[in-house]
Amino acid sequence: MTGLPHSAHVVIVNRWSRADFADYARYVDHREHRVGYVTTAAGRAAVPAGAAEVVQVTDLDDPAEVRTAVAALAERHGAPDRIVAMQELDLLTGAALREEWGCPGPRTDQVVPFRDKYTMATRVSQAGLAVPRFERVTHAAPVRAFAGAAGWPVVLKPLAGRGASGVLRLERPADLDVLTPAGSFEEPYLVQEFNPHPTYHVDGLFTGERLADHRVSRYVNNCLAFRADGVPLGSVEEDDPRLLRSVAEFTTRALAALTDRPTVFHLELFVDRATGDCTFLEAAARAGGAEIPVLWRESHRGDLLATLARTQLDLPVAEVESLDEGVTVDEDGDVGGEGAGEVGGWLIVPAPRLRPCRITGSSSMLDRKDGPYAETFLPVGRVLPWTDPYHQHVGGRFRFRGPSSDAVEAGIRATAADFRMTVAPEVPRSPRGTGPGTIAPDGSAVDFFAALPPGTGTAAVVHGAIPERGSVLELGAGAGRVTHPLVALGHRVVAVDESAEMLARLTGTSPGPAGGAGGAGTREVETVLARIEDLRLDRTFDAVLLLSSLVNYVSRKPLLDACRRHVAPHGAVIVQRTNPAFFEEVGPAEWENRGTRFRNYDVERLDDGIVSCTKEYRIGERTWTFSGVFHHLGDDELPDVLGASGLRFDRFLDERRTYVLARPA
């Protein structure tokens, strides 16, 4: 790419893992320029040969980590001359980095109108265009008032969300109660009235004054249903001249309200197909996702991502960059040259809900009447990782061409109905944790659990069910929330955990090796560093505790086997499980308890009795998360589950039926 300074240092922040998505080697000559990358482990697959250096980060959403990585590249290759960050979640990061290093290209104030949905809707509305009624909210009460005036359902979305991420359709007031029992949100939201008309999207280039190369398409199904309900998502290019003119005029005015500089865009709107009336939904200053850039390259010979790169490299842009000399795309989106007149479309089928999983079979859709001209799905034997499936990890991708919109849409719907992918689960799925300080192997945040108040309630339940001053083996003791109250009640406790950092917080000393006799600790607490499954002590205890709902998110039998090995013949095993009602009622929610803010999000029902959920904990300015898959353990299952490990159900110890007392069979 010409126009850059000689031997420029170009830093590319890459989030994509698909090697066929962004052709960075074509956008910037890696032989002429020094091109450094900041990316994740998954993103390394998209880095071409010839990169000057790749700095791998853990989290591209951590601005401090990304800044440190760019500074490391600058130290070894000189200050960056240009910075490229093309994925929507990285647009503001890229703008901030350009400001920090004095690089030309889009600045924060130019990106914000495309990232802050309230600012975006306000500007478009002030330009005199139709926008669904909207309001910025931080509490549940204004949402109820808004819905009272606009009517249910309403749509609630994060101000800086991407696509359908975090977007909720609330059908009734009760949905709001489940979302936020505490009545307030952790972050501001935009609430909008629901619009029933079909959703369209427009992709292309806005010069700052006029709409240049573009395509108008209508969705087949919608992004929210794809993310929330696992419904296939498709798109077909519109061929109705009347609608094309109406949408193009509306899009031009909407983009002019948001920017005056060359911008590659993806704009979504509602269209009344009977009248041609348009209503703004949202816009992004980047190329569309899913198969949009690939379809443009293959069917229209235009490269949206190359054009987006030019805008971020501060190079002149007047039209979408063409891959062929003989092919042009005019301002109305009509393709000239070979392939003129064809309508394109695409389909993505969601990844299997049960993840991670191993692909065992897929059905090809090629060579079918009205079928796709290209398809991509994971080969048999490939493991689909635990990753948000939205666009980046999907079960199947298909691209279509045809003589008309109706013909292509028929092919898309037939393919969506007939495509099959079979999988086998990869289990167990390990929990994951994030946040400041050490994260234990099971995903627990050491600093968080060390900061919590003592678990006196749990200790009281245990104390009431076992002999006075009885010996206790606490499996998965963590930082000692229950350990210390039990000691205060007169019990001798052996605390077991696989995290040395947890046990060090428990006692203030280093834990001893597995085997236990020489373990460090106070007179009342002995610590043992070991995995529960591997624990084999030469003694038994009056009570063995398996708390923290461990039986709900890791393999149960090895844990219960360890309980049976170490309980005295007339002793007690106390197991804490997640309340079965959780699996019926769980949904996005937030609340506060004893100085800690809690939030459940990314809740997904993978199967009957299997829920994936991320739990967020916030104390002051510190935030941690724990993500895992929770498996239902119902009353009717307890006898068989316990019996498989040589235990028998005795009784529940609390009204909520979360503490289970079992004894040796």
Side-chain angles (χ1 to χ4, degrees):
M1 185 174 284
T2 60
L4 295 176
H6 175 68
S7 189
H9 180 204
V10 179
V11 172
I12 296 178
V13 179
N14 171 65
R15 190 180 289 259
W16 290 306
S17 58
R18 290 179 61 182
D20 67 339
F21 204 69
D23 189 357
Y24 291 119
R26 197 171 68 81
Y27 308 158
V28 182
D29 190 329
H30 285 48
R31 295 165 299 180
E32 180 180 348
H33 304 292
R34 296 159 290 149
V35 185
Y37 287 80
V38 178
T39 190
T40 60
R44 279 183 172 270
V47 176
E53 186 180 349
V54 180
V55 177
Q56 183 174 312
V57 297
T58 303
D59 186 3
L60 286 172
D61 293 327
D62 183 346
E65 188 178 9
V66 175
R67 289 181 62 201
T68 299
V70 174
L73 287 172
E75 183 177 352
R76 291 185 284 273
H77 304 283
D81 298 293
R82 299 289 191 276
I83 292 173
V84 174
M86 298 195 291
Q87 210 269 3
E88 184 168 12
L89 294 178
D90 301 321
L91 294 177
L92 283 170
T93 298
L97 288 169
R98 291 184 198 102
E99 292 164 2
E100 179 179 351
W101 292 96
C103 300
R107 292 296 200 263
T108 299
D109 63 337
Q110 297 163 340
V111 174
V112 164
F114 288 95
R115 292 293 293 131
D116 184 295
K117 297 188 190 311
Y118 180 76
T119 300
M120 181 191 307
T122 299
R123 286 198 179 189
V124 174
S125 177
Q126 289 175 345
L129 298 175
V131 178
R133 195 183 320 182
F134 64 94
E135 185 176 324
R136 185 181 185 274
V137 294
T138 57
H139 294 78
V143 177
R144 289 192 180 89
F146 180 92
W152 298 90
V154 296
V155 177
L156 197 65
K157 58 180 70 174
L159 288 188
R162 177 181 75 92
S165 177
V167 177
L168 299 169
R169 174 173 162 171
L170 305 179
E171 301 287 346
R172 59 191 68 84
D175 293 345
L176 193 59
D177 296 333
V178 173
L179 172 65
T180 173
S184 61
F185 304 129
E186 277 293 315
E187 58 181 326
Y189 276 80
L190 188 78
V191 60
Q192 284 188 307
E193 67 178 333
F194 176 74
N195 188 304
H197 293 299
T199 307
Y200 276 62
H201 63 92
V202 189
D203 300 270
L205 173 69
F206 179 67
T207 67
E209 298 177 347
R210 63 180 180 85
L211 195 61
D213 312 337
H214 67 280
R215 306 295 291 186
V216 176
S217 306
R218 64 177 185 258
Y219 280 115
V220 179
N221 301 325
N222 63 75
C223 301
L224 183 57
F226 176 85
R227 177 182 284 276
D229 303 321
V231 176
L233 175 65
S235 169
V236 57
E237 293 171 348
E238 181 62 70
D239 61 1
D240 183 326
R242 177 181 61 89
L243 292 179
L244 290 174
R245 287 192 296 271
S246 177
V247 171
E249 178 184 350
F250 185 92
T251 300
T252 301
R253 293 179 61 195
L255 291 171
L258 298 174
T259 185
D260 60 359
R261 59 177 288 124
T263 303
V264 171
F265 70 91
H266 172 79
L267 183 144
E268 297 183 348
L269 67 162
F270 301 106
V271 178
D272 184 333
R273 291 177 57 81
T275 64
D277 292 340
C278 301
T279 302
F280 180 80
L281 177 54
E282 57 188 50
R286 44 88 176 169
E291 299 302 284
I292 293 170
V294 182
L295 185 68
W296 267 70
R297 290 198 297 264
E298 293 174 345
S299 293
H300 310 312
R301 308 304 292 165
D303 195 330
L304 290 172
L305 289 171
T307 310
L308 175 59
R310 290 188 67 90
T311 65
Q312 295 198 354
L313 292 166
D314 200 42
L315 299 174
V317 175
E319 305 292 341
V320 171
E321 185 167 314
S322 176
L323 297 174
D324 293 330
E325 293 295 328
V327 176
T328 60
V329 185
D330 68 20
E331 293 184 13
D332 293 326
D334 296 325
V335 182
E338 184 180 356
E342 283 191 318
V343 170
W346 52 264
L347 169 72
I348 55 176
V349 178
R353 284 180 173 264
L354 184 61
R355 289 172 279 128
C357 61
R358 185 176 300 275
I359 309 302
T360 59
S362 299
S363 53
S364 174
M365 297 287 104
L366 298 176
D367 301 323
R368 291 163 44 105
K369 181 182 179 181
D370 297 330
Y373 71 84
E375 66 181 13
T376 305
F377 42 77
L378 295 174
V380 171
R382 179 72 59 83
V383 173
L384 189 63
W386 173 254
T387 306
D388 183 353
Y390 192 68
H391 298 336
Q392 282 292 313
H393 293 280
V394 299
R397 302 172 182 275
F398 307 91
R399 297 183 293 281
F400 299 79
R401 297 190 190 105
S404 69
S405 297
D406 290 344
V408 172
E409 181 172 350
I412 289 171
R413 293 190 180 278
T415 299
D418 296 343
F419 175 68
R420 295 291 182 271
M421 173 173 283
T422 57
V423 300
E426 286 283 305
V427 294
R429 185 193 306 172
S430 299
R432 306 172 315 286
T434 67
T438 300
I439 303 298
D442 70 348
S444 300
V446 175
D447 286 358
F448 169 68
F449 283 94
L452 289 176
T456 53
T458 297
V461 170
V462 172
H463 179 66
I466 65 176
E468 190 166 342
R469 298 188 177 277
S471 60
V472 175
L473 176 65
E474 185 182 2
L475 303 177
R481 291 188 62 240
V482 178
T483 313
H484 292 301
L486 284 174
V487 170
L489 290 168
H491 297 284
R492 292 167 288 114
V493 181
V494 174
V496 178
D497 205 284
E498 65 178 326
S499 167
E501 291 82 0
M502 283 286 196
L503 293 178
R505 294 298 185 91
L506 188 154
T507 64
T509 61
S510 299
T522 66
R523 179 177 60 82
E524 300 88 358
V525 181
E526 176 187 332
T527 60
V528 177
L529 177 62
R531 296 176 70 241
I532 297 173
E533 301 92 321
D534 301 333
L535 185 69
R536 283 178 174 64
L537 303 179
D538 56 358
R539 51 199 151 136
T540 58
F541 298 81
D542 295 320
V544 179
L545 310 183
L546 186 66
L547 305 177
S548 301
S549 300
L550 291 174
V551 291
N552 289 103
Y553 66 86
V554 294
S555 298
R556 295 166 179 161
K557 190 173 186 305
L559 304 185
L560 293 171
D561 287 347
C563 293
R564 180 63 183 87
R565 283 195 301 271
H566 294 95
V567 66
H570 301 289
V573 172
I574 298 177
V575 176
Q576 183 183 14
R577 64 171 179 168
T578 299
N579 191 316
F582 167 88
F583 296 90
E584 301 173 2
E585 303 167 357
V586 65
E590 58 180 292
W591 66 98
E592 184 171 348
N593 184 32
R594 301 175 71 182
T596 300
R597 294 285 302 176
F598 297 84
R599 182 165 74 104
N600 291 342
Y601 65 96
D602 284 351
V603 177
E604 183 178 6
R605 298 182 185 277
L606 303 179
D607 205 343
D608 288 340
I610 305 177
V611 172
S612 168
C613 180
T614 294
K615 296 177 176 290
E616 181 185 273
Y617 317 105
R618 177 172 296 179
I619 299 177
E621 297 300 316
R622 297 181 295 170
T623 301
W624 300 268
T625 67
F626 177 88
S627 302
V629 176
F630 298 83
H631 295 255
H632 179 270
L633 178 56
D635 294 1
D636 57 341
E637 300 174 81
L638 282 171
D640 289 340
V641 169
L642 294 171
S645 295
L647 298 167
R648 62 177 174 83
F649 174 76
D650 187 301
R651 66 183 189 274
F652 295 106
L653 298 177
D654 66 314
E655 291 183 357
R656 299 181 68 243
R657 305 164 78 90
T658 56
Y659 293 95
V660 178
L661 176 64
R663 299 196 184 275

